[in-house]
PDB file of all heavy atoms in Angstrom:
ATOM      1  N   PRO A 140      29.568  18.184 165.287  1.00 83.00           N
ATOM      2  CA  PRO A 140      29.448  18.252 163.834  1.00 83.00           C
ATOM      3  C   PRO A 140      30.772  18.135 163.095  1.00 83.00           C
ATOM      4  O   PRO A 140      30.796  17.986 161.893  1.00 83.00           O
ATOM      5  CB  PRO A 140      28.795  19.614 163.602  1.00 83.00           C
ATOM      6  CG  PRO A 140      28.063  19.908 164.864  1.00 83.00           C
ATOM      7  CD  PRO A 140      28.904  19.321 165.941  1.00 83.00           C
ATOM      8  N   ALA A 141      31.887  18.203 163.829  1.00 86.00           N
ATOM      9  CA  ALA A 141      33.168  18.059 163.166  1.00 86.00           C
ATOM     10  C   ALA A 141      33.278  16.752 162.410  1.00 86.00           C
ATOM     11  O   ALA A 141      33.872  16.653 161.338  1.00 86.00           O
ATOM     12  CB  ALA A 141      34.306  18.179 164.197  1.00 86.00           C
ATOM     13  N   ARG A 142      32.728  15.675 162.990  1.00 87.00           N
ATOM     14  CA  ARG A 142      32.749  14.356 162.349  1.00 87.00           C
ATOM     15  C   ARG A 142      31.994  14.411 161.028  1.00 87.00           C
ATOM     16  O   ARG A 142      32.466  13.861 160.013  1.00 87.00           O
ATOM     17  CB  ARG A 142      32.164  13.312 163.267  1.00 87.00           C
ATOM     18  CG  ARG A 142      32.350  11.893 162.713  1.00 87.00           C
ATOM     19  CD  ARG A 142      31.826  10.816 163.588  1.00 87.00           C
ATOM     20  NE  ARG A 142      32.370  10.927 164.944  1.00 87.00           N
ATOM     21  CZ  ARG A 142      31.700  10.600 166.052  1.00 87.00           C
ATOM     22  NH1 ARG A 142      30.490  10.161 165.971  1.00 87.00           N
ATOM     23  NH2 ARG A 142      32.251  10.759 167.217  1.00 87.00           N
ATOM     24  N   LEU A 143      30.847  15.095 161.002  1.00 90.00           N
ATOM     25  CA  LEU A 143      30.083  15.211 159.742  1.00 90.00           C
ATOM     26  C   LEU A 143      30.862  16.010 158.712  1.00 90.00           C
ATOM     27  O   LEU A 143      30.856  15.715 157.532  1.00 90.00           O
ATOM     28  CB  LEU A 143      28.726  15.848 160.030  1.00 90.00           C
ATOM     29  CG  LEU A 143      27.769  15.009 160.865  1.00 90.00           C
ATOM     30  CD1 LEU A 143      26.538  15.785 161.179  1.00 90.00           C
ATOM     31  CD2 LEU A 143      27.457  13.699 160.151  1.00 90.00           C
ATOM     32  N   LEU A 144      31.548  17.075 159.174  1.00 93.00           N
ATOM     33  CA  LEU A 144      32.378  17.867 158.254  1.00 93.00           C
ATOM     34  C   LEU A 144      33.481  17.027 157.660  1.00 93.00           C
ATOM     35  O   LEU A 144      33.798  17.135 156.483  1.00 93.00           O
ATOM     36  CB  LEU A 144      32.946  19.083 158.961  1.00 93.00           C
ATOM     37  CG  LEU A 144      31.957  20.210 159.294  1.00 93.00           C
ATOM     38  CD1 LEU A 144      32.576  21.182 160.263  1.00 93.00           C
ATOM     39  CD2 LEU A 144      31.516  20.906 158.034  1.00 93.00           C
ATOM     40  N   SER A 145      34.098  16.188 158.484  1.00 92.00           N
ATOM     41  CA  SER A 145      35.175  15.344 158.019  1.00 92.00           C
ATOM     42  C   SER A 145      34.661  14.309 157.007  1.00 92.00           C
ATOM     43  O   SER A 145      35.298  14.048 155.981  1.00 92.00           O
ATOM     44  CB  SER A 145      35.838  14.627 159.193  1.00 92.00           C
ATOM     45  OG  SER A 145      36.965  13.940 158.747  1.00 92.00           O
ATOM     46  N   TRP A 146      33.491  13.731 157.279  1.00 93.00           N
ATOM     47  CA  TRP A 146      32.856  12.799 156.331  1.00 93.00           C
ATOM     48  C   TRP A 146      32.548  13.513 155.024  1.00 93.00           C
ATOM     49  O   TRP A 146      32.791  12.971 153.933  1.00 93.00           O
ATOM     50  CB  TRP A 146      31.579  12.206 156.903  1.00 93.00           C
ATOM     51  CG  TRP A 146      31.802  10.989 157.728  1.00 93.00           C
ATOM     52  CD1 TRP A 146      31.896  10.921 159.078  1.00 93.00           C
ATOM     53  CD2 TRP A 146      31.962   9.631 157.244  1.00 93.00           C
ATOM     54  NE1 TRP A 146      32.093   9.607 159.465  1.00 93.00           N
ATOM     55  CE2 TRP A 146      32.139   8.815 158.362  1.00 93.00           C
ATOM     56  CE3 TRP A 146      31.968   9.048 155.978  1.00 93.00           C
ATOM     57  CZ2 TRP A 146      32.316   7.449 158.272  1.00 93.00           C
ATOM     58  CZ3 TRP A 146      32.157   7.708 155.866  1.00 93.00           C
ATOM     59  CH2 TRP A 146      32.339   6.924 156.988  1.00 93.00           C
ATOM     60  N   ALA A 147      31.994  14.730 155.101  1.00 96.00           N
ATOM     61  CA  ALA A 147      31.667  15.484 153.888  1.00 96.00           C
ATOM     62  C   ALA A 147      32.937  15.813 153.122  1.00 96.00           C
ATOM     63  O   ALA A 147      32.981  15.722 151.871  1.00 96.00           O
ATOM     64  CB  ALA A 147      30.929  16.765 154.230  1.00 96.00           C
ATOM     65  N   GLY A 148      33.998  16.153 153.832  1.00 96.00           N
ATOM     66  CA  GLY A 148      35.281  16.414 153.165  1.00 96.00           C
ATOM     67  C   GLY A 148      35.826  15.193 152.461  1.00 96.00           C
ATOM     68  O   GLY A 148      36.320  15.256 151.347  1.00 96.00           O
ATOM     69  N   LEU A 149      35.692  14.039 153.129  1.00 95.00           N
ATOM     70  CA  LEU A 149      36.137  12.783 152.474  1.00 95.00           C
ATOM     71  C   LEU A 149      35.306  12.531 151.230  1.00 95.00           C
ATOM     72  O   LEU A 149      35.864  12.082 150.220  1.00 95.00           O
ATOM     73  CB  LEU A 149      36.042  11.598 153.477  1.00 95.00           C
ATOM     74  CG  LEU A 149      36.445  10.261 152.930  1.00 95.00           C
ATOM     75  CD1 LEU A 149      37.910  10.261 152.497  1.00 95.00           C
ATOM     76  CD2 LEU A 149      36.188   9.179 153.961  1.00 95.00           C
ATOM     77  N   GLY A 150      34.019  12.800 151.302  1.00 96.00           N
ATOM     78  CA  GLY A 150      33.182  12.628 150.095  1.00 96.00           C
ATOM     79  C   GLY A 150      33.633  13.516 148.936  1.00 96.00           C
ATOM     80  O   GLY A 150      33.712  13.038 147.803  1.00 96.00           O
ATOM     81  N   ALA A 151      33.965  14.783 149.245  1.00 97.00           N
ATOM     82  CA  ALA A 151      34.465  15.680 148.220  1.00 97.00           C
ATOM     83  C   ALA A 151      35.805  15.195 147.690  1.00 97.00           C
ATOM     84  O   ALA A 151      36.071  15.256 146.485  1.00 97.00           O
ATOM     85  CB  ALA A 151      34.600  17.101 148.777  1.00 97.00           C
ATOM     86  N   LEU A 152      36.638  14.693 148.565  1.00 96.00           N
ATOM     87  CA  LEU A 152      37.942  14.162 148.179  1.00 96.00           C
ATOM     88  C   LEU A 152      37.765  12.946 147.262  1.00 96.00           C
ATOM     89  O   LEU A 152      38.499  12.817 146.236  1.00 96.00           O
ATOM     90  CB  LEU A 152      38.751  13.771 149.425  1.00 96.00           C
ATOM     91  CG  LEU A 152      40.205  13.400 149.216  1.00 96.00           C
ATOM     92  CD1 LEU A 152      41.010  14.620 148.750  1.00 96.00           C
ATOM     93  CD2 LEU A 152      40.779  12.844 150.503  1.00 96.00           C
ATOM     94  N   MET A 153      36.834  12.090 147.562  1.00 95.00           N
ATOM     95  CA  MET A 153      36.602  10.902 146.738  1.00 95.00           C
ATOM     96  C   MET A 153      36.015  11.289 145.354  1.00 95.00           C
ATOM     97  O   MET A 153      36.387  10.714 144.353  1.00 95.00           O
ATOM     98  CB  MET A 153      35.657   9.920 147.446  1.00 95.00           C
ATOM     99  CG  MET A 153      36.254   9.360 148.756  1.00 95.00           C
ATOM    100  SD  MET A 153      37.890   8.665 148.623  1.00 95.00           S
ATOM    101  CE  MET A 153      37.533   7.162 147.750  1.00 95.00           C
ATOM    102  N   ALA A 154      35.147  12.319 145.334  1.00 95.00           N
ATOM    103  CA  ALA A 154      34.621  12.784 144.051  1.00 95.00           C
ATOM    104  C   ALA A 154      35.762  13.363 143.221  1.00 95.00           C
ATOM    105  O   ALA A 154      35.839  13.077 142.018  1.00 95.00           O
ATOM    106  CB  ALA A 154      33.540  13.841 144.290  1.00 95.00           C
ATOM    107  N   GLY A 155      36.625  14.129 143.865  1.00 95.00           N
ATOM    108  CA  GLY A 155      37.784  14.637 143.148  1.00 95.00           C
ATOM    109  C   GLY A 155      38.712  13.521 142.695  1.00 95.00           C
ATOM    110  O   GLY A 155      39.231  13.572 141.574  1.00 95.00           O
ATOM    111  N   GLY A 156      38.823  12.484 143.490  1.00 93.00           N
ATOM    112  CA  GLY A 156      39.662  11.341 143.131  1.00 93.00           C
ATOM    113  C   GLY A 156      39.098  10.604 141.926  1.00 93.00           C
ATOM    114  O   GLY A 156      39.840  10.123 141.057  1.00 93.00           O
ATOM    115  N   PHE A 157      37.763  10.495 141.853  1.00 93.00           N
ATOM    116  CA  PHE A 157      37.129   9.881 140.708  1.00 93.00           C
ATOM    117  C   PHE A 157      37.469  10.644 139.441  1.00 93.00           C
ATOM    118  O   PHE A 157      37.850  10.058 138.402  1.00 93.00           O
ATOM    119  CB  PHE A 157      35.612   9.758 140.879  1.00 93.00           C
ATOM    120  CG  PHE A 157      34.910   9.306 139.652  1.00 93.00           C
ATOM    121  CD1 PHE A 157      34.891   7.965 139.340  1.00 93.00           C
ATOM    122  CD2 PHE A 157      34.298  10.212 138.806  1.00 93.00           C
ATOM    123  CE1 PHE A 157      34.287   7.522 138.155  1.00 93.00           C
ATOM    124  CE2 PHE A 157      33.680   9.798 137.651  1.00 93.00           C
ATOM    125  CZ  PHE A 157      33.682   8.421 137.331  1.00 93.00           C
ATOM    126  N   LEU A 158      37.371  11.954 139.496  1.00 94.00           N
ATOM    127  CA  LEU A 158      37.688  12.776 138.354  1.00 94.00           C
ATOM    128  C   LEU A 158      39.186  12.665 138.005  1.00 94.00           C
ATOM    129  O   LEU A 158      39.540  12.620 136.845  1.00 94.00           O
ATOM    130  CB  LEU A 158      37.321  14.233 138.604  1.00 94.00           C
ATOM    131  CG  LEU A 158      35.824  14.527 138.760  1.00 94.00           C
ATOM    132  CD1 LEU A 158      35.584  15.958 139.167  1.00 94.00           C
ATOM    133  CD2 LEU A 158      35.061  14.211 137.491  1.00 94.00           C
ATOM    134  N   GLY A 159      40.001  12.571 139.049  1.00 92.00           N
ATOM    135  CA  GLY A 159      41.445  12.408 138.817  1.00 92.00           C
ATOM    136  C   GLY A 159      41.737  11.063 138.126  1.00 92.00           C
ATOM    137  O   GLY A 159      42.617  11.006 137.284  1.00 92.00           O
ATOM    138  N   GLY A 160      41.006  10.024 138.509  1.00 89.00           N
ATOM    139  CA  GLY A 160      41.178   8.752 137.834  1.00 89.00           C
ATOM    140  C   GLY A 160      40.819   8.796 136.390  1.00 89.00           C
ATOM    141  O   GLY A 160      41.514   8.234 135.534  1.00 89.00           O
ATOM    142  N   HIS A 161      39.774   9.548 136.055  1.00 88.00           N
ATOM    143  CA  HIS A 161      39.388   9.753 134.656  1.00 88.00           C
ATOM    144  C   HIS A 161      40.512  10.455 133.911  1.00 88.00           C
ATOM    145  O   HIS A 161      40.894  10.072 132.792  1.00 88.00           O
ATOM    146  CB  HIS A 161      38.073  10.565 134.568  1.00 88.00           C
ATOM    147  CG  HIS A 161      37.729  11.000 133.204  1.00 88.00           C
ATOM    148  ND1 HIS A 161      37.300  10.101 132.232  1.00 88.00           N
ATOM    149  CD2 HIS A 161      37.720  12.234 132.625  1.00 88.00           C
ATOM    150  CE1 HIS A 161      37.062  10.779 131.113  1.00 88.00           C
ATOM    151  NE2 HIS A 161      37.296  12.044 131.331  1.00 88.00           N
ATOM    152  N   LEU A 162      41.096  11.472 134.534  1.00 88.00           N
ATOM    153  CA  LEU A 162      42.181  12.213 133.906  1.00 88.00           C
ATOM    154  C   LEU A 162      43.415  11.353 133.718  1.00 88.00           C
ATOM    155  O   LEU A 162      44.074  11.356 132.702  1.00 88.00           O
ATOM    156  CB  LEU A 162      42.528  13.442 134.708  1.00 88.00           C
ATOM    157  CG  LEU A 162      41.441  14.519 134.785  1.00 88.00           C
ATOM    158  CD1 LEU A 162      41.798  15.603 135.765  1.00 88.00           C
ATOM    159  CD2 LEU A 162      41.163  15.104 133.421  1.00 88.00           C
ATOM    160  N   ALA A 163      43.740  10.558 134.728  1.00 82.00           N
ATOM    161  CA  ALA A 163      44.949   9.718 134.685  1.00 82.00           C
ATOM    162  C   ALA A 163      44.825   8.667 133.575  1.00 82.00           C
ATOM    163  O   ALA A 163      45.818   8.346 132.939  1.00 82.00           O
ATOM    164  CB  ALA A 163      45.176   9.044 136.026  1.00 82.00           C
ATOM    165  N   SER A 164      43.621   8.204 133.370  1.00 78.00           N
ATOM    166  CA  SER A 164      43.424   7.205 132.297  1.00 78.00           C
ATOM    167  C   SER A 164      43.609   7.818 130.930  1.00 78.00           C
ATOM    168  O   SER A 164      43.786   7.098 129.961  1.00 78.00           O
ATOM    169  CB  SER A 164      42.067   6.535 132.421  1.00 78.00           C
ATOM    170  OG  SER A 164      41.044   7.452 132.058  1.00 78.00           O
ATOM    171  N   ARG A 165      43.566   9.122 130.827  1.00 68.00           N
ATOM    172  CA  ARG A 165      43.713   9.796 129.552  1.00 68.00           C
ATOM    173  C   ARG A 165      45.062  10.507 129.406  1.00 68.00           C
ATOM    174  O   ARG A 165      45.335  11.143 128.437  1.00 68.00           O
ATOM    175  CB  ARG A 165      42.621  10.861 129.381  1.00 68.00           C
ATOM    176  CG  ARG A 165      41.200  10.367 129.553  1.00 68.00           C
ATOM    177  CD  ARG A 165      40.839   9.427 128.409  1.00 68.00           C
ATOM    178  NE  ARG A 165      39.444   9.181 128.314  1.00 68.00           N
ATOM    179  CZ  ARG A 165      38.797   8.176 128.852  1.00 68.00           C
ATOM    180  NH1 ARG A 165      39.423   7.333 129.605  1.00 68.00           N
ATOM    181  NH2 ARG A 165      37.490   8.027 128.653  1.00 68.00           N
ATOM    182  N   LEU A 166      45.891  10.409 130.435  1.00 62.00           N
ATOM    183  CA  LEU A 166      47.144  11.147 130.469  1.00 62.00           C
ATOM    184  C   LEU A 166      48.247  10.363 129.803  1.00 62.00           C
ATOM    185  O   LEU A 166      48.469   9.175 130.072  1.00 62.00           O
ATOM    186  CB  LEU A 166      47.512  11.402 131.931  1.00 62.00           C
ATOM    187  CG  LEU A 166      48.697  12.299 132.230  1.00 62.00           C
ATOM    188  CD1 LEU A 166      48.399  13.731 131.778  1.00 62.00           C
ATOM    189  CD2 LEU A 166      48.958  12.273 133.724  1.00 62.00           C
ATOM    190  N   ASP A 167      48.941  11.001 128.891  1.00 57.00           N
ATOM    191  CA  ASP A 167      50.104  10.371 128.264  1.00 57.00           C
ATOM    192  C   ASP A 167      51.235  10.328 129.259  1.00 57.00           C
ATOM    193  O   ASP A 167      51.413  11.233 130.067  1.00 57.00           O
ATOM    194  CB  ASP A 167      50.561  11.189 127.030  1.00 57.00           C
ATOM    195  CG  ASP A 167      49.535  11.151 125.931  1.00 57.00           C
ATOM    196  OD1 ASP A 167      48.835  10.124 125.812  1.00 57.00           O
ATOM    197  OD2 ASP A 167      49.418  12.154 125.184  1.00 57.00           O
ATOM    198  N   PRO A 168      52.058   9.269 129.212  1.00 56.00           N
ATOM    199  CA  PRO A 168      53.204   9.215 130.112  1.00 56.00           C
ATOM    200  C   PRO A 168      54.176  10.329 129.781  1.00 56.00           C
ATOM    201  O   PRO A 168      54.225  10.802 128.640  1.00 56.00           O
ATOM    202  CB  PRO A 168      53.829   7.835 129.884  1.00 56.00           C
ATOM    203  CG  PRO A 168      53.312   7.405 128.563  1.00 56.00           C
ATOM    204  CD  PRO A 168      52.004   8.092 128.345  1.00 56.00           C
ATOM    205  N   PRO A 169      54.972  10.740 130.760  1.00 55.00           N
ATOM    206  CA  PRO A 169      55.960  11.832 130.452  1.00 55.00           C
ATOM    207  C   PRO A 169      57.001  11.291 129.479  1.00 55.00           C
ATOM    208  O   PRO A 169      57.263  10.100 129.440  1.00 55.00           O
ATOM    209  CB  PRO A 169      56.583  12.128 131.812  1.00 55.00           C
ATOM    210  CG  PRO A 169      56.324  10.936 132.630  1.00 55.00           C
ATOM    211  CD  PRO A 169      55.062  10.297 132.124  1.00 55.00           C
ATOM    212  N   PRO A 170      57.593  12.195 128.704  1.00 57.00           N
ATOM    213  CA  PRO A 170      58.639  11.739 127.781  1.00 57.00           C
ATOM    214  C   PRO A 170      59.813  11.171 128.600  1.00 57.00           C
ATOM    215  O   PRO A 170      60.033  11.568 129.735  1.00 57.00           O
ATOM    216  CB  PRO A 170      59.063  13.002 127.059  1.00 57.00           C
ATOM    217  CG  PRO A 170      58.278  14.102 127.611  1.00 57.00           C
ATOM    218  CD  PRO A 170      57.314  13.592 128.603  1.00 57.00           C
ATOM    219  N   PRO A 171      60.507  10.177 128.050  1.00 60.00           N
ATOM    220  CA  PRO A 171      61.615   9.593 128.789  1.00 60.00           C
ATOM    221  C   PRO A 171      62.733  10.591 129.011  1.00 60.00           C
ATOM    222  O   PRO A 171      62.885  11.525 128.239  1.00 60.00           O
ATOM    223  CB  PRO A 171      62.063   8.416 127.900  1.00 60.00           C
ATOM    224  CG  PRO A 171      61.574   8.770 126.525  1.00 60.00           C
ATOM    225  CD  PRO A 171      60.357   9.606 126.731  1.00 60.00           C
ATOM    226  N   PRO A 172      63.534  10.351 130.048  1.00 57.00           N
ATOM    227  CA  PRO A 172      64.713  11.217 130.278  1.00 57.00           C
ATOM    228  C   PRO A 172      65.640  11.168 129.062  1.00 57.00           C
ATOM    229  O   PRO A 172      65.641  10.201 128.317  1.00 57.00           O
ATOM    230  CB  PRO A 172      65.369  10.622 131.513  1.00 57.00           C
ATOM    231  CG  PRO A 172      64.304   9.817 132.171  1.00 57.00           C
ATOM    232  CD  PRO A 172      63.382   9.330 131.075  1.00 57.00           C
ATOM    233  N   SER A 173      66.446  12.199 128.936  1.00 55.00           N
ATOM    234  CA  SER A 173      67.277  12.292 127.761  1.00 55.00           C
ATOM    235  C   SER A 173      68.579  11.473 127.811  1.00 55.00           C
ATOM    236  O   SER A 173      69.130  11.156 126.787  1.00 55.00           O
ATOM    237  CB  SER A 173      67.641  13.763 127.501  1.00 55.00           C
ATOM    238  OG  SER A 173      68.278  14.289 128.647  1.00 55.00           O
ATOM    239  N   THR A 174      69.020  11.109 128.981  1.00 56.00           N
ATOM    240  CA  THR A 174      70.278  10.352 129.071  1.00 56.00           C
ATOM    241  C   THR A 174      70.007   8.935 129.521  1.00 56.00           C
ATOM    242  O   THR A 174      69.028   8.643 130.207  1.00 56.00           O
ATOM    243  CB  THR A 174      71.230  11.033 130.075  1.00 56.00           C
ATOM    244  OG1 THR A 174      70.667  10.971 131.358  1.00 56.00           O
ATOM    245  CG2 THR A 174      71.568  12.422 129.671  1.00 56.00           C
TER     246      THR A 174
END
Side-chain angles (χ1 to χ4, degrees):
R142 188 178 307 147
L143 293 175
L144 287 168
S145 187
W146 273 98
L149 180 61
L152 189 67
M153 298 308 288
F157 172 78
L158 294 173
H161 172 70
L162 294 171
S164 71
R165 306 293 196 265
L166 187 66
D167 293 329
S173 57
T174 64

